[in-house]
């Protein structure tokens, strides 16, 4: 057929084919590539993801068609992909990557021989979606969020493990209000609080309320206003700023923006006090972790990220610059609030280096806070109905974390281990006394039983202290505490006052002796019958009878005193 065509016809047909091919290619991506040629090596935004102007998009051919990755994981042709969101906690990774979402020459990751691609997914897909779509091999999760998602991941026939802690929120998550009558968690009774369901904010609020002295009825009186997940924390902030609710649970940057925009707003309770409650971890697909060929790749990821932590600590301005250059959210935030606002966010978060990982993971001999938090929030979220399958088996926290990489770095760095053995916070009587004059953030009643007229307690009472009081103290790592003995209204007031103080002192002595908490963290007081939780004149107001009401008043209480 072609042999019968004239030369001119053949040329016209060839030109038509070329034109159609070029048109398809132009619309599929060539116009973006051509339009960026010769421009400065900065970033442009594509939705919520920033891409380098002079680099072709990973995973696409020249004409924009999807191409399969090739080569070993972590190589230039097959970079290790890590899913993150727009959050300042991940600034160290951006610095270690050369202030870029893809590894730049001379960066910390490049020097380790690792090619890393940070994939911004602000819509937060599930881990099963991320791993099965191959959008990334690893992803961020908060330790509490990870506790609810790992069972769901196993139900999908997959699994993963965390390999490092990358940040520790210490003030970046908080319950806030502009209602002058709300000064503690107990004051939330009968109020409205806005938040996102099944997020760290939800977990923090549930934990605080569970540990409060509120009765079951008063706990139920708190109105949870769950904002649509599509609106995100901006929706929570809008509800708070507009006065639709009395309080809100938020995380930065929306937390700081809400406090700045709302006159009279204040923090009621935050991770500035509950310092050992919320951690961000990097979780990797078990199929990647279990392949021996990838061990050095993941080790380089951990080492490079830790190098980025050092860079960020030494030069916070560089961390701000990295965020603004690579993440559209922070580009806009810098324009609206200024770079100084972003830098101020760093005061509420700890980028966790090797020494922090060693401490948090209990590798220096102290409590493994990561596993404690994982176990604790697994119970919270199961009870709240967050699991896709509520009958999912409980996962041992040890199975959720691969300790190889932090352990190997610790073995090579004795100085980091020594640093991890030091107390994270110092405590003094002067600071304790100043904290004691402020309202307690919350007060937890603990039923430590004593024999009538005695201040000796039993093994059962010790177990109650260990399981109900100690976790609260460990979660609130920077806090001081008031431990008070309390009685009901029966008997001699004078005797009750003396006995209640003796009982509180015995509890503190036990905490100092057996758990090695600093004595200067504790205020000891005996309230006798003077600070009842339940009104013995009207026990029915708490759905209790008189006997139950008096039992609630005969408790040892531990009040959280924020610095």
């Amino acid at each position: 057929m072609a042999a019968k065509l004239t030369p001119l016809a053949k040329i016209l047909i060839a030109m038509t084919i070329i034109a159609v091919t070029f048109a398809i290619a132009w619309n599929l991506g060539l116009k973006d590539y051509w339009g960026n040629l010769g421009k400065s090596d900065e970033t442009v935004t594509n939705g919520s993801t920033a891409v380098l102007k002079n680099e072709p998009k990973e995973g696409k051919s020249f004409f924009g068609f999807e191409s399969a990755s090739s080569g070993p994981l972590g190589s230039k042709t097959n970079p290790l992909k890590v899913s993150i969101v727009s959050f300042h906690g991940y600034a160290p990774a951006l610095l270690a990557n050369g202030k870029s979402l893809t590894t730049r020459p001379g960066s910390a990751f490049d020097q380790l021989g690792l090619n890393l691609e940070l994939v911004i997914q602000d819509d937060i897909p599930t881990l099963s979606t991320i791993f099965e779509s191959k959008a990334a091999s690893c992803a961020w999760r908060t330790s509490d969020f990870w506790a609810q998602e790992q069972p769901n991941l196993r139900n999908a026939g997959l699994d993963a493990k965390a390999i490092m802690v990358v940040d520790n929120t210490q003030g970046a998550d908080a319950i806030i209000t502009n209602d002058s009558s709300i000064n503690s968690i107990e004051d939330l009774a009968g109020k409205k609080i806005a938040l996102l369901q099944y997020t760290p904010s939800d977990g923090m609020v549930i934990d605080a309320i569970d540990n409060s002295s509120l009765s079951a009825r008063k706990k139920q009186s708190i109105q949870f206003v769950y904002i649509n997940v599509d609106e995100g924390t901006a929706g929570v902030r809008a509800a708070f700023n507009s006065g639709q609710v009395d309080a809100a649970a938020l995380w930065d940057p929306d937390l700081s923006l809400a406090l700045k925009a709302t006159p009279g707003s204040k923090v009621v309770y935050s991770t500035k006090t509950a310092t050992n409650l919320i951690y961000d971890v990097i979780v990797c697909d078990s199929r990647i972790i279990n392949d021996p060929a990838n061990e050095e790749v993941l080790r380089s990821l951990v080492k490079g990220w830790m190098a980025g932590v050092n860079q960020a600590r030494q030069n916070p301005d560089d961390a701000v610059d990295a965020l603004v250059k690579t993440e559209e959210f922070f580009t806009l935030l810098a324009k609206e609030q200024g770079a100084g606002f972003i830098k101020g966010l760093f005061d509420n978060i700890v980028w966790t280096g090797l020494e922090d990982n060693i401490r948090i993971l209990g590798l220096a001999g102290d409590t493994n806070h990561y596993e404690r938090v994982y176990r604790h929030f697994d119970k919270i979220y199961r009870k709240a109905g967050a699991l896709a399958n509520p009958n999912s088996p409980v996962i041992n926290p040890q199975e959720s974390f691969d300790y190889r990489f932090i352990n190997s770095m610790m073995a090579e760095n004795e100085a980091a281990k020594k640093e991890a053995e030091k107390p994270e916070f110092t405590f003094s009587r002067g600071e304790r006394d100043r904290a004691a004059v402020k309202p307690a953030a919350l007060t937890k009643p603990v039923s430590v039983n004593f024999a009538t007229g005695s201040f000796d307690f039993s093994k059962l009472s010790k177990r109650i202290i260990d399981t109900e009081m100690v976790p609260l103290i460990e979660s609130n790592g920077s806090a001081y505490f008031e431990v008070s003995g309390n009685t009901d209204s029966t008997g001699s007031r004078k005797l009750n006052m003396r006995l209640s103080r003796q009982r509180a002192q015995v509890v503190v002595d036990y905490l100092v002796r057996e758990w090695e908490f600093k004595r200067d963290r504790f205020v000891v007081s005996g309230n006798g019958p003077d600070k009842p939780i339940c009104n013995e004149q009207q026990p029915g107001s708490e759905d209790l009878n008189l006997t139950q009401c008096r039992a609630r008043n005969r408790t040892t209480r531990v009040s959280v005193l924020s610095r």
Side-chain angles (χ1 to χ4, degrees), residues 29-40:
L30 183 58
K31 62 181 177 182
D32 292 330
Y33 179 83
W34 190 271
N36 287 327
L37 285 177
K39 294 186 180 180
S40 61

Side-chain angles (χ1 to χ4, degrees), residues 3 44 62 76 103 170 181 190 262 272 304 340 368 400 421 478 496:
V44 292
F62 184 79
K76 288 185 177 181
T103 303
Q170 293 192 4
S181 69
T262 308
K272 185 75 77 175
N368 187 324
S400 72
E421 292 171 353
S478 74
N496 282 339

Side-chain angles (χ1 to χ4, degrees), residues 47-75:
S48 62
T49 304
V51 296
L52 290 172
K53 287 182 177 178
N54 287 346
E55 292 183 6
K57 297 175 183 178
E58 180 61 40
K60 291 185 181 292
S61 69
F62 184 79
F63 291 114
F65 294 107
E66 295 292 336
S67 62
S69 298
S70 60
L73 186 65
S75 64

Side-chain angles (χ1 to χ4, degrees), residues 223-237:
Q223 300 177 57
F224 287 75
V225 179
Y226 291 119
I227 303 300
N228 189 304
V229 68
D230 293 334
E231 298 180 51
T233 49
V236 177
R237 173 162 56 93

Side-chain angles (χ1 to χ4, degrees), residues 9 53 69 119 123 149 151 156 276 288 324 334 401 422 429 438 529:
K53 287 182 177 178
S69 298
V119 182
D123 55 340
E149 193 168 11
N276 293 319
I288 299 296
V324 173
F401 201 102
K422 297 178 182 178
R429 293 184 181 183
K438 298 184 291 185

Side-chain angles (χ1 to χ4, degrees), residues 434-507:
R434 289 190 292 274
V437 300
K438 298 184 291 185
L442 62 88
T443 297
K444 180 181 177 70
V446 182
S447 299
V448 181
N449 297 313
F450 296 86
T452 303
S454 169
F455 52 86
D456 291 330
F457 55 73
S458 64
K459 289 183 179 179
L460 175 59
S461 294
K462 292 178 182 177
R463 191 176 306 122
I464 290 171
I465 293 172
D466 294 345
T467 57
E468 295 188 29
M469 193 176 289
V470 169
L472 179 68
I473 296 172
E474 290 187 324
S475 287
N476 293 277
S478 74
Y480 290 89
F481 300 91
E482 180 182 12
V483 177
S484 62
N486 300 269
T487 69
D488 60 30
S489 61
T490 62
S492 163
R493 182 179 183 281
K494 183 178 179 180
L495 176 61
N496 282 339
M497 294 295 288
R498 184 178 74 249
L499 192 60
S500 62
R501 180 178 175 82
Q502 289 172 323
R503 288 174 172 175
Q505 186 64 63
V506 167
V507 171

Side-chain angles (χ1 to χ4, degrees), residues 236-446:
V236 177
R237 173 162 56 93
F240 178 71
N241 292 154
S242 64
Q244 298 176 44
V245 294
D246 306 295
L250 279 165
W251 62 81
D252 270 334
D254 284 288
L255 168 62
S256 293
L257 290 170
L259 288 169
K260 184 177 180 180
T262 308
S265 58
K266 62 188 177 183
V267 172
V268 177
Y269 183 60
S270 81
T271 52
K272 185 75 77 175
T273 299
T275 58
N276 293 319
L277 196 65
I278 299 177
Y279 305 106
D280 274 30
V281 297
I282 295 299
V283 173
C284 296
D285 190 336
S286 285
R287 291 169 294 188
I288 299 296
I289 290 179
N290 295 336
D291 186 344
N294 297 325
E295 184 170 351
E296 192 55 39
V297 173
L298 296 177
R299 196 182 315 279
S300 294
L301 172 63
V302 177
K303 283 185 176 181
W305 200 301
M306 298 300 167
V309 167
N310 292 333
Q311 289 179 254
R313 288 176 178 174
Q314 291 167 11
N315 197 333
D317 290 326
D318 270 1
V320 172
D321 191 44
L323 290 166
V324 173
K325 281 186 173 180
T326 59
E327 298 185 6
E328 182 181 23
F329 178 84
F330 284 99
T331 304
L332 296 174
L333 194 60
K335 290 179 180 178
E336 293 173 1
Q337 302 292 333
F341 178 85
I342 298 174
K343 189 175 180 180
L345 299 176
F346 300 163
D347 294 337
N348 291 333
I349 200 165
V350 174
W351 295 308
T352 47
L354 178 58
E355 72 283 2
D356 301 296
N357 271 260
I358 294 170
R359 179 187 61 80
I360 292 165
L361 299 173
L363 300 178
D366 204 352
T367 300
N368 187 324
H369 293 291
Y370 162 81
E371 290 190 6
R372 176 183 58 78
V373 167
Y374 183 101
R375 185 181 295 108
H376 180 55
F377 279 96
D378 174 76
K379 295 177 182 177
I380 284 179
Y381 287 124
R382 282 175 188 272
K383 185 178 178 181
L387 271 64
N389 178 0
N391 297 318
S392 298
V394 175
I395 298 173
N396 187 325
Q398 291 182 344
E399 297 178 26
S400 72
F401 201 102
D402 191 327
Y403 290 88
R404 286 178 298 167
F405 309 105
I406 298 299
N407 271 323
S408 66
M409 287 185 67
M410 182 175 67
E412 300 170 357
N413 194 331
E414 186 64 26
K417 185 177 180 181
K418 291 289 185 183
E419 189 65 26
E421 292 171 353
K422 297 178 182 178
E424 185 178 13
F425 299 99
T426 57
F427 301 94
S428 69
R429 293 184 181 183
E431 188 176 48
R432 178 196 65 190
D433 294 343
R434 289 190 292 274
V437 300
K438 298 184 291 185
L442 62 88
T443 297
K444 180 181 177 70
V446 182

